[in-house]
Amino acid sequence: MKKPRIAEWTELRGIAFLAIVMQHSIAEYIYRADIEQPDSIMLTMIYHLTRFGTPTFVFLAGVMLFYHHRNTKPDYPRFIRKRFGDIYMPFVVWTLIYWLSVRIFTPAFWRAGIPDFRSLIRELFVPQTGYHLWFVIMVFQFYILFPLFLVGAKAIQRRIQNASRFTPMQVIIGLILFAAALYALLMQWSYYNMGGWTESMSEPWSTLLQYRSYSWVMYWFYFLLGAVCAWSVDSWRSWTTKILPWTICLFIGMYIWLGYDVLRGSGDVVNLNISTYLKPTTFLIIMAQMFMMYGFLVLMRGKDTRFQRLLAWIGRYSFGGYLVHALVIYAIAYVTRPLHLSGWHLPVTLLSFLVTVGIALAISWALSKLPGSRFTVGLMRKPRSTPNSSAAVDKRNSSERTPSPGSTRSPGTSEPF
């Protein structure tokens, strides 16, 4: 029997996808030479509403892995083989697409004769043309190491159950706070110290530090939170709603601080890298946003509004949309970059965002209906049902338990995260 699908996870994935597309749309316009200061400030304010996007995908990866394997020991070869097909193969396919797409519009590519395939090999390790594909490299490391994480999580669970001095909830909260402090310290080192360390270290350590954003080590706390959520979904729901007033206050405070920090540290051109993921203050706003979003989605459970159904649909095709959305931004930029947009960067950014979301999700949906969709958008086509198979499914479903409110059963297709 398949586990019930938790509705808010798919909805949260949809929100995270929208946040990431907005980030990349803003990055396309905010650095242009003809942008005016009001547009720069407004785009910076919108940008800080989206910082939770990528870490939320890491959180959801942890949620799905631990939710489906917390009571089982995964068959590692089969587990990796499946994830390789669902996640890494789409990365390889789209890396090739981005590599070709950028080069076919470059005259030097056609004059060179034999293409420089070394640059393609480099793209598989350090994506540049598909600049967003670094995330797939990073998150796939969690899948490779997942059996070790699972063993560690089960060992911690046994210790929590045997604790006598404190309640399990107190122990879990204490561990989360301790892990958050360690992670904040790591972010402190990453933002303020590691840049200097790269100059004094020899290879390969200097290179590893230079590309530290590609490493799972820099995002492990979000994966840990996913494990906590997956182990006790009902407690997590209750907890996120109870602390909702506090997370809202924390978000407002950090939102003001990050906006001020970026504007204070920037010159004539806004520097969004001041709000990098690998910074302690950014970590705080990400946590506030993530818990706040989850709490709101929990409060909406069971209402089945059009907005929720839209978020669920977006979440369903978000991985494919994520893979393709940068290509859509490239296509839009091909039209907008020659234009003089002084005074129009804010509305053009918002319009580009809407167009990118619509086209990227449409492409993801269309590819999911074609053969080989697993290797393009990470989704398996739903098999056609026959009268006999439908009867068998109805008979099997009648003997299964009804899923809990706010959740639906898996429709027979796989999701990468």
Side-chain angles (χ1 to χ4, degrees):
M1 184 179 66
K2 291 184 177 180
K3 291 179 179 291
R5 177 176 295 177
I6 309 300
E8 66 261 23
W9 294 348
T10 307
E11 295 164 2
L12 185 61
R13 185 184 298 114
I15 296 174
F17 166 75
L18 295 176
I20 291 172
V21 176
M22 178 59 80
Q23 288 179 34
H24 294 160
S25 298
I26 290 172
E28 172 59 38
Y29 293 94
I30 199 168
Y31 294 118
R32 296 194 180 184
D34 61 340
I35 191 170
E36 296 182 357
Q37 188 179 36
D39 286 334
S40 293
I41 295 174
M42 285 301 300
L43 291 177
T44 301
M45 294 173 65
I46 297 173
Y47 182 76
H48 287 138
L49 295 175
T50 66
R51 301 309 288 141
F52 66 95
T54 299
T56 299
F57 271 121
V58 180
F59 166 79
L60 290 170
V63 162
M64 299 305 295
L65 284 174
F66 283 100
Y67 182 66
H68 289 290
H69 298 284
R70 61 184 179 181
N71 296 322
T72 61
K73 182 179 180 181
D75 179 359
Y76 189 71
R78 182 176 178 273
F79 172 82
I80 289 298
R81 188 166 58 249
K82 183 180 186 305
R83 301 302 170 180
F84 186 85
D86 292 343
I87 298 174
Y88 195 78
M89 284 306 300
F91 161 75
V92 173
V93 169
W94 284 99
T95 296
L96 177 61
I97 291 173
Y98 279 96
W99 183 80
L100 285 173
S101 298
V102 171
R103 280 159 178 77
I104 60 176
F105 291 101
T106 305
F109 175 76
W110 301 101
R111 293 196 299 265
I114 300 176
D116 181 15
F117 288 106
R118 290 177 298 179
S119 62
L120 176 60
I121 300 300
R122 179 179 172 82
E123 290 286 327
L124 294 173
F125 296 94
V126 185
Q128 298 295 319
T129 52
Y131 54 84
H132 61 305
L133 296 178
W134 70 269
F135 173 78
V136 183
I137 295 176
M138 184 274 294
V139 81
F140 194 71
Q141 297 169 47
F142 284 106
Y143 290 93
I144 294 174
L145 299 173
F146 175 67
L148 296 178
F149 296 136
L150 184 61
V151 170
K154 289 183 176 180
I156 293 174
Q157 183 191 31
R158 288 193 295 269
R159 288 183 175 272
I160 292 175
Q161 291 174 345
N162 295 331
S164 57
R165 186 174 181 180
F166 301 99
T167 65
M169 181 60 70
Q170 290 174 331
V171 175
I172 291 173
I173 293 176
L175 288 175
I176 292 176
L177 292 176
F178 178 72
L182 290 179
Y183 187 74
L185 181 61
L186 177 63
M187 296 297 98
Q188 176 82 11
W189 290 340
S190 174
Y191 189 77
Y192 295 102
N193 303 111
M194 289 186 182
W197 295 350
T198 58
E199 299 176 0
S200 58
M201 288 187 174
S202 59
E203 295 291 349
W205 307 111
S206 60
T207 301
L208 290 175
L209 285 179
Q210 182 181 356
Y211 292 100
R212 58 189 178 277
S213 61
Y214 288 65
S215 171
W216 69 271
V217 176
M218 294 296 167
Y219 303 90
W220 63 266
F221 182 75
Y222 306 109
F223 195 76
L224 169 66
L225 285 182
V228 175
C229 174
W231 231 276
S232 183
V233 178
D234 291 334
S235 296
W236 183 272
R237 286 169 170 168
S238 175
W239 190 49
T240 54
T241 53
K242 286 180 180 179
I243 66 171
L244 192 55
W246 299 102
T247 54
I248 292 174
C249 291
L250 178 60
F251 165 71
I252 294 173
M254 295 310 303
Y255 178 75
I256 295 172
W257 174 256
L258 258 68
Y260 172 71
D261 197 28
V262 168
L263 294 177
R264 180 184 59 178
S266 301
D268 295 334
V269 178
V270 170
N271 182 10
L272 296 180
N273 288 327
I274 295 175
S275 297
T276 176
Y277 292 127
L278 308 183
K279 186 178 181 180
T281 50
T282 309
F283 167 58
L284 290 177
I285 196 172
I286 288 171
M287 294 309 303
Q289 288 176 304
M290 190 183 300
F291 284 124
M292 186 174 64
M293 290 292 180
Y294 203 107
F296 284 137
L297 290 175
V298 171
L299 293 178
M300 294 172 62
R301 284 180 63 227
K303 295 182 180 180
D304 194 30
T305 63
R306 289 183 178 179
F307 178 66
Q308 289 173 284
R309 291 196 293 271
L310 176 62
L311 286 181
W313 186 85
I314 293 173
R316 165 91 178 116
Y317 297 102
S318 60
F319 182 57
Y322 177 84
L323 294 172
V324 72
H325 82 275
L327 194 63
V328 181
I329 292 177
Y330 278 148
I332 296 173
Y334 186 77
V335 176
T336 61
R337 285 183 182 179
L339 302 177
H340 183 74
L341 299 174
S342 181
W344 289 91
H345 286 83
L346 175 61
V348 171
T349 299
L350 298 178
L351 180 61
S352 297
F353 162 74
L354 294 175
V355 172
T356 301
V357 167
I359 295 178
L361 290 174
I363 293 174
S364 178
W365 174 83
L367 290 176
S368 71
K369 307 300 179 184
L370 299 176
S373 58
R374 179 188 180 192
F375 302 121
T376 55
V377 292
L379 291 172
M380 295 286 287
R381 285 198 304 167
K382 187 175 181 179
R384 294 182 179 179
S385 58
T386 61
N388 291 336
S389 64
S390 299
V393 169
D394 292 339
K395 183 178 180 180
R396 183 176 70 250
N397 287 344
S398 65
S399 64
E400 293 178 350
R401 292 180 296 175
T402 303
S404 59
S407 65
T408 57
R409 290 205 175 274
S410 172
T413 54
S414 62
E415 292 184 359
F417 296 143

